[in-house]
Amino acid sequence: MTRPLVTILDDEPEIRRLLTDVLEEAGFETLSFGRARAFEAALAKRTPDVCLVDLSLPDTDGLTLVHRLALEQGAVVIIISGRAQVQDRVTGLELGADDYIIKPFDPAEVVARIRARLRSPKPPASSGNTARFNGWTAHFDRYVLQDDTGEEVPFSHAESEVLRLFLESPKRLISRAQMQTSLGGAASESFDRAMDVRISRLRTKLREDPKNPQLIKTIYGAGYIFLGDVTWS
Amino acid sequence: MTRPLVTILDDEPEIRRLLTDVLEEAGFETLSFGRARAFEAALAKRTPDVCLVDLSLPDTDGLTLVHRLALEQGAVVIIISGRAQVQDRVTGLELGADDYIIKPFDPAEVVARIRARLRSPKPPASSGNTARFNGWTAHFDRYVLQDDTGEEVPFSHAESEVLRLFLESPKRLISRAQMQTSLGGAASESFDRAMDVRISRLRTKLREDPKNPQLIKTIYGAGYIFLGDVTWS
DNA sequence: AAACCATTGTAACAATTCGTAAGGATTGAG
DNA sequence: CTCAATCCTTACGAATTGTTACAATGGTTT
């Protein structure tokens, strides 16, 4: 539970198994995925400390994923790739990866490099932490909402996940299933009303009129739409 | 702002010249040495930001040097070695090196890896043991916190580890798992509550309001964020 | 329109996670 | 060995979040 979480994203099951074994042995918690979508779904549940990513994935642009991981999530990102070209390594590192390991790799070296990265912390996130919308300013670094008069309303981590999802996709329908996977991962099978409760609590903090919400609108049978005009800074 | 200083320690003149050229081109200041003794003499003058070290040096034990550089000087240490054995890399990284590049190397990759390391600045270890933040000055050499009025509050070693971790990564979510590895890392199992206690004591010394902490914020289920504006010196 | 079912809102409760006081184990100095 | 300092462990109260239950709402059928 308190061991560092390492996520493995690679489409080869053998690689996943090898890494899982050696990392568990080394005292890490592991989660492995073969597809980027499943991986992203799990991200919100618990931010991993280290992400091992293979770039040659079938269903996404790996470099974009690396960029988002490194900058927004603040995780240590290590690319593991069969592409041995120097240019690949350089661009991978420039995009924010913390290390680049070439296949075939030695498991012991992977462990050593992970440990080396965990020793030195990452710099503070400089941007992408604040969003303004309709009289509110959301400070995701401080977990605080600020209204026009400067009054502050704190929000929790669970609420921040929902709010961030809305603010990243304003004026677009977000289905319940989308939220579920985006926030809860492969959660409980029986209906997860936790999402509704999160949104309910968020609405309260945004001082929405329950009868006539202006910002978070419910689309019966489909999902939710966030109707604010969002500016990130 | 001055350009980052990269020192090159390698007994092959050609390698030194190649690295010097490419690093100067990339916007770094460089100093190169063929012997460890000359290198150490130069250390006293100005601590480099990055040290490129070849392990197979004639006049010293390279690994010891790496260890001292990494721990005492707080520089980024990158080993460049012809020894390709995995075990060499693992021990090099475990001794505190931040990266390990194998000869023959591509200059562009060396530059990319240096840049990647400089993105996350290493904590100043022996030089620069003082950090200022929000009305406080932390003296890690004396284990003392000083407030604006000059009043001093001593803190213990355990507290200093936590505080240092926070001051190195301000405004970033730090997971408990991350803390565990950063603070000694060994697999003491029920470490979880001890961490809470450390933070609790630190908060008391920083005179935080337990109901509304301004500096060390708890993110339920996720970790902690230190919200100070930190300047190291 | 009324009746009916599906979906959503939310209050109340339970489970989980966190804060911290108190006591005991460990370490180091004399 | 004793004492003192430090730090881990334990234990219990507090805060946050998920779950359940039921009311309210929207849509559909009769």
Side-chain angles (χ1 to χ4, degrees):
Chain A
M1 200 269 290
T2 54
R3 297 181 301 167
L5 174 62
V6 181
T7 56
I8 302 153
L9 178 54
D10 196 307
D11 52 351
E12 297 174 56
E14 291 170 32
I15 302 273
R16 291 207 300 273
R17 198 159 39 81
L18 170 64
L19 285 173
T20 300
D21 288 351
V22 86
L23 288 172
E24 299 265 353
E25 181 67 28
F28 295 102
E29 210 170 321
T30 63
L31 283 175
S32 75
F33 307 88
R35 295 266 172 157
R37 283 185 55 181
F39 169 66
E40 294 189 72
L43 261 189
K45 193 162 193 176
R46 175 177 165 196
T47 302
D49 302 285
V50 181
C51 301
L52 301 179
V53 180
D54 184 348
L55 282 193
S56 51
L57 285 163
D59 65 339
T60 191
D61 175 14
L63 283 178
T64 311
L65 181 62
V66 165
H67 194 60
R68 280 188 27 216
L69 280 170
L71 293 193
E72 294 175 19
Q73 295 275 351
V76 171
V77 178
I78 300 179
I79 296 175
I80 296 187
S81 169
R83 307 182 60 177
Q85 296 299 318
V86 171
Q87 193 49 47
D88 295 325
R89 278 175 269 169
V90 170
T91 54
L93 291 168
E94 279 177 355
L95 268 171
D98 295 283
D99 210 335
Y100 198 112
I101 301 174
I102 296 170
K103 288 183 185 174
F105 53 82
D106 187 293
E109 183 177 357
V110 175
V111 172
R113 285 188 179 270
I114 287 175
R115 291 217 174 102
R117 291 300 151 265
L118 285 177
R119 274 201 307 263
S120 65
K122 304 199 80 177
S126 50
S127 65
N129 282 14
T130 305
R132 303 175 55 146
F133 61 95
N134 301 57
W136 290 98
T137 307
H139 300 274
F140 284 98
D141 50 350
R142 291 188 297 140
Y143 287 79
V144 159
L145 272 166
Q146 208 170 23
D147 72 5
D148 271 342
T149 72
E151 191 182 341
E152 295 195 342
V153 181
F155 57 84
S156 71
H157 186 62
E159 283 152 9
S160 84
E161 290 186 330
V162 181
L163 182 58
R164 185 183 281 275
L165 192 60
F166 280 137
L167 293 177
E168 279 170 356
S169 304
K171 296 176 182 174
R172 262 184 34 203
L173 177 72
I174 300 175
S175 76
R176 208 168 261 281
Q178 238 169 315
M179 284 196 153
Q180 208 84 320
T181 48
S182 194
L183 301 186
S188 48
E189 292 310 319
S190 62
F191 256 18
D192 202 354
R193 308 300 311 283
M195 191 60 54
D196 302 59
V197 177
R198 284 192 187 189
I199 287 172
S200 169
R201 288 176 179 150
L202 190 55
R203 275 177 170 152
T204 306
K205 297 206 171 171
L206 288 171
R207 302 179 196 142
E208 293 266 76
D209 174 13
K211 301 288 179 185
N212 186 24
Q214 296 300 301
L215 287 170
I216 302 174
K217 204 143 187 171
T218 304
I219 310 301
Y220 185 93
Y224 297 93
I225 292 186
F226 183 81
L227 290 176
D229 296 304
V230 184
T231 318
W232 281 88
S233 57
Chain B
M1 191 180 89
T2 59
R3 299 178 299 166
L5 174 61
V6 181
T7 57
I8 302 153
L9 179 54
D10 196 307
D11 52 350
E12 298 174 56
E14 291 171 31
I15 301 274
R16 292 207 300 273
R17 204 173 314 124
L18 170 63
L19 284 173
T20 301
D21 288 350
V22 86
L23 289 172
E24 298 268 351
E25 179 69 27
F28 296 103
E29 212 170 319
T30 64
L31 283 174
S32 76
F33 307 88
R35 294 270 172 150
R37 282 185 54 182
F39 169 66
E40 295 191 70
L43 267 189
K45 259 186 171 172
R46 176 180 163 193
T47 303
D49 302 286
V50 181
C51 301
L52 301 180
V53 181
D54 184 348
L55 282 192
S56 50
L57 286 163
D59 65 338
T60 191
D61 176 13
L63 282 178
T64 311
L65 180 61
V66 165
H67 193 59
R68 284 191 15 227
L69 280 173
L71 292 193
E72 294 173 21
Q73 294 283 344
V76 170
V77 178
I78 299 179
I79 296 176
I80 297 188
S81 169
R83 306 183 60 177
Q85 294 300 316
V86 172
Q87 194 48 48
D88 295 325
R89 277 174 270 169
V90 170
T91 53
L93 290 168
E94 277 176 356
L95 271 171
D98 295 282
D99 211 335
Y100 197 112
I101 301 174
I102 297 170
K103 288 182 186 175
F105 54 80
D106 187 294
E109 183 177 356
V110 175
V111 172
R113 284 186 178 272
I114 288 175
R115 290 218 175 102
R117 292 299 150 266
L118 287 178
R119 275 202 305 263
S120 44
K122 282 195 85 174
S126 68
S127 66
N129 262 335
T130 304
R132 306 200 60 210
F133 62 96
N134 301 54
W136 290 98
T137 308
H139 301 275
F140 285 97
D141 48 353
R142 292 190 296 136
Y143 287 83
V144 159
L145 270 167
Q146 205 171 25
D147 72 5
D148 270 343
T149 72
E151 191 180 342
E152 296 196 342
V153 182
F155 56 84
S156 71
H157 183 66
E159 283 152 10
S160 84
E161 288 188 327
V162 181
L163 181 59
R164 185 184 283 276
L165 190 60
F166 279 136
L167 293 175
E168 283 158 2
S169 300
K171 296 177 183 177
R172 254 215 137 98
L173 185 88
I174 301 175
S175 73
R176 294 170 110 78
Q178 241 168 318
M179 289 196 164
Q180 187 174 336
T181 41
S182 295
L183 311 188
S188 163
E189 207 30 67
S190 59
F191 206 30
D192 35 351
R193 318 299 292 128
M195 185 63 56
D196 296 343
V197 175
R198 286 191 185 189
I199 287 171
S200 171
R201 295 201 178 115
L202 192 54
R203 275 178 171 149
T204 306
K205 298 204 172 171
L206 288 172
R207 300 177 197 144
E208 292 266 76
D209 173 13
K211 299 287 179 186
N212 186 25
Q214 294 301 301
L215 286 171
I216 302 174
K217 199 147 184 173
T218 303
I219 311 303
Y220 185 98
Y224 297 92
I225 293 185
F226 183 81
L227 289 176
D229 296 304
V230 184
T231 320
W232 282 88
S233 57

